[in-house]
Amino acid sequence: MAFSQALSGLSAAATNLDVIGNNIANSETVGFKSSETQFADLYASSQAAGIGVQVASISQDFSTGSLETTGRDLDIAISGEGFLRFADSTGQVVYSRNGQLNVDADGYIVNTQGAQLTGYAGERVTGEPVVLQVPTAPLAASATQDNLANSIYGAQISINLDSEAEPTTTTFDPMDPTSYDYASSMTVYDSLGSEHVVTSFYTKTDSNTWDVQHVMDFAGKSAEYQSDVNAGITPTVDFDVQVEQISFGTNGQLNSDYTQTAMTYTLANGAEDMNFSIDLTGSTQYANDYEVTSLSQNGYTSGSLVGISIDGDGRVIGSYSNELTQTLGTIALANFANDQGLKPNGDNSWLATAESGEPLVGVPGEGVFGDVVSGAVEASNVDLTTELVDLIIAQRNYQSNAQTISVQDEVQQTVINLR
C-alpha cells in the first residue's frame, strides 16, 4: 500500500465536499444549477492494483427549478428550454436563467450585476440581438386618420336605427332637435393630441334611407350659438356639417353598396386639418330601439411612460399615461447543443465555449424555446435534502481516505521496528 491512493482519495473527496458545499450555499440563489462530482479510477499499466482516483469532471444539472411567484412585473422565468442573453460591462455575451431584472437610469434592462438584457428592438424580430433600452420620450400623439391601404378607417360606429321611426321633413338644423331622430358622439384626436368631439345626427328621409350629419365640437359651437341668441345677436356660427347617406335592405342590413365618406375638418389650434372617415359597417335598421352597439377610433393623445412589463412571448410592453401600450422590444433566448460545455462565469451566468457549440438564438415560445412567465423567477434546482445526505457520505469518504493514510503509517512503523 502506498500513500498515493489515499492522497488522491483525499484530494477527490475534498473536491466533492467543495461541490456539495457550493450547491448547499446556493440553494436559495435564483437560477442556480447544481453540480455533481464525477470520479474515475487511476491505473498504471505495470501494476495490477489501482493507484488512486481522480475527478473526471464536475457535471452541471440544467434541469428546471421550480417557478416562484414574486409579483414584480420585471421578474421573469423561462418555462422550458433556453437562456437569457446578457451583455456584461466588458461587452462580453453571457447566458443566465436568473430573470431578476430592473431598468437602470439610462433605460437599459439589466440584471442585479448590471449586465444588459439583449433582444430585438421594437416590433421587428430580425437581425442580430441588441441590448434592450426603454425609450424615456413620451409616446407621440397620433391623429384619428384613415389607412386605406389596409382598409382601416379613422372611426367606426355600429348602430341600430329604429325602422319604425317616421321620416323627418324638417330641414336639418343641429340646434333643432325636431330636425333629426337620433344622435351619437365620439372623441377623436388631432395631430397635436387635442381632443375633439364628433357628434353624428341620424335623420330618416325615407323608409330605408337615412342622412347622417357629422358635426365636430358641436357642444362648444352650440354654446356660442346660444350665447349670441341670448345677447340678441344673429348667430354666425358655422357648424361645418359633413353629410353622408346610408340605406338598408329589406332584411335590415346595411346595403352592400355602402361606401365610407371621408370628411375634412379645418382646425384653428395649430394642428393639421383632420381628414378621416366614420365607418358605419355593421349598422342595422330593425324594429327595435335606437342603440349604439360599438364605437371606436384610432387616434390618441401623447402619453408618458408609466411602467413596463414582459409578456409570455418575451415582448417588453410599455404602458403610457394615455392608457395605451406599445411593444418596446422582444427578449432573445439562446440554446446550446451541449449545455454541459458551458463554462460557469459566476454571477448566475455561463459563457459559451467550443464544447457547448454556437448558441442558437430565437424568441420565447418558438421552436425549442420555452415561454416566459412574468412576475416569477426560477428557483435554484438544488435538492437540499439530497445534498445533506451526500454531504454525510462525502464526509465519510474523506475520513476513510484519511484512515488509509493512518494505516499506511502504522505499517511503515512496523517495518521500521523490525530487528
Side-chain angles (χ1 to χ4, degrees):
M1 184 185 297
F3 285 107
S4 61
Q5 289 93 336
L7 289 174
S8 67
L10 282 174
S11 177
T15 299
N16 192 26
L17 286 169
D18 289 342
V19 170
I20 295 172
N22 188 58
N23 289 343
I24 294 173
N26 286 283
S27 60
E28 293 299 319
T29 300
V30 171
F32 178 79
K33 301 304 177 186
S34 63
S35 298
E36 178 185 12
T37 309
Q38 297 180 341
F39 303 103
D41 57 354
L42 288 173
Y43 270 83
S45 58
S46 59
Q47 291 182 237
I51 60 174
V53 66
Q54 63 178 335
V55 175
S57 68
I58 297 176
S59 174
Q60 301 176 86
D61 177 10
F62 283 99
S63 62
T64 303
S66 61
L67 304 188
E68 298 179 348
T69 302
T70 66
R72 288 186 71 243
D73 287 339
L74 286 180
D75 280 345
I76 59 173
I78 303 172
S79 177
E81 299 295 321
F83 294 84
L84 297 172
R85 190 178 182 274
F86 292 90
D88 66 15
S89 57
T90 66
Q92 179 176 235
V93 177
V94 298
Y95 304 90
S96 178
R97 296 278 295 193
N98 185 344
Q100 294 174 306
L101 304 175
N102 292 289
V103 178
D104 68 12
D106 297 318
Y108 293 102
I109 302 175
V110 298
N111 63 14
T112 52
Q113 289 74 38
Q116 298 169 340
L117 185 67
T118 67
Y120 305 94
E123 296 277 359
R124 301 185 63 186
V125 184
T126 57
E128 184 71 15
V130 297
V131 294
L132 293 176
Q133 185 177 23
V134 176
T136 57
L139 183 65
S142 178
T144 302
Q145 57 191 321
D146 295 342
N147 182 352
L148 298 182
N150 295 316
S151 299
I152 296 174
Y153 299 95
Q156 185 275 333
I157 302 175
S158 290
I159 54 174
N160 179 67
L161 299 170
D162 189 353
S163 64
E164 296 182 350
E166 293 295 329
T168 300
T169 58
T170 306
T171 301
F172 174 73
D173 179 353
M175 296 300 296
D176 180 7
T178 65
S179 67
Y180 57 87
D181 295 284
Y182 310 109
S184 65
S185 297
M186 70 160 54
T187 300
V188 296
Y189 296 88
D190 63 26
S191 60
L192 298 179
S194 296
E195 295 184 0
H196 301 272
V197 175
V198 174
T199 303
S200 300
F201 301 89
Y202 306 95
T203 306
K204 191 171 186 179
T205 58
D206 205 342
S207 59
N208 289 327
T209 60
W210 296 72
D211 281 347
V212 185
Q213 293 95 352
H214 305 288
V215 178
M216 181 173 286
D217 297 328
F218 170 69
K221 292 178 179 179
S222 63
E224 182 182 346
Y225 181 98
Q226 192 61 51
S227 176
D228 288 347
V229 171
N230 294 339
I233 302 172
T234 301
T236 58
V237 176
D238 180 10
F239 286 98
D240 191 13
V241 180
Q242 309 275 324
V243 185
E244 61 179 320
Q245 188 177 78
I246 57 175
S247 60
F248 298 88
T250 56
N251 60 357
Q253 301 287 323
L254 196 64
N255 282 335
S256 58
D257 61 354
Y258 164 70
T259 57
Q260 295 77 8
T261 302
M263 295 167 291
T264 300
Y265 294 98
T266 302
L267 304 180
N269 64 346
E272 294 179 356
D273 292 343
M274 298 185 68
N275 187 290
F276 64 93
S277 305
I278 296 180
D279 181 18
L280 295 168
T281 300
S283 295
T284 56
Q285 180 190 250
Y286 294 137
N288 293 321
D289 292 339
Y290 164 75
E291 179 186 13
V292 177
T293 56
S294 70
L295 184 150
S296 63
Q297 58 85 43
N298 61 10
Y300 50 84
T301 188
S302 62
S304 300
L305 184 68
V306 295
I308 65 171
S309 59
I310 301 172
D311 69 8
D313 295 328
R315 294 183 301 154
V316 180
I317 307 297
S319 300
Y320 292 85
S321 57
N322 57 4
E323 299 184 356
L324 293 178
T325 60
Q326 187 175 65
T327 299
L328 306 177
T330 303
I331 293 172
L333 296 184
N335 208 357
F336 297 88
N338 177 26
D339 290 345
Q340 293 298 323
L342 291 172
K343 177 184 176 182
N345 188 51
D347 293 332
N348 298 332
S349 66
W350 290 266
L351 297 174
T353 67
E355 287 76 20
S356 67
E358 288 295 317
L360 173 64
V361 180
V363 294
E366 292 187 2
V368 298
F369 299 106
D371 295 322
V372 167
V373 180
S374 180
V377 294
E378 180 184 353
S380 168
N381 68 351
V382 171
D383 185 333
L384 198 54
T385 301
T386 300
E387 296 296 334
L388 291 174
V389 171
D390 290 345
L391 180 63
I392 295 172
I393 296 172
Q395 181 185 20
R396 292 289 183 263
N397 183 30
Y398 191 93
Q399 291 173 336
S400 298
N401 281 285
Q403 183 64 30
T404 301
I405 293 177
S406 177
V407 171
Q408 180 65 18
D409 179 58
E410 290 178 6
V411 170
Q412 286 190 342
Q413 286 294 328
T414 300
V415 172
I416 293 171
N417 293 331
L418 288 176
R419 297 175 182 267

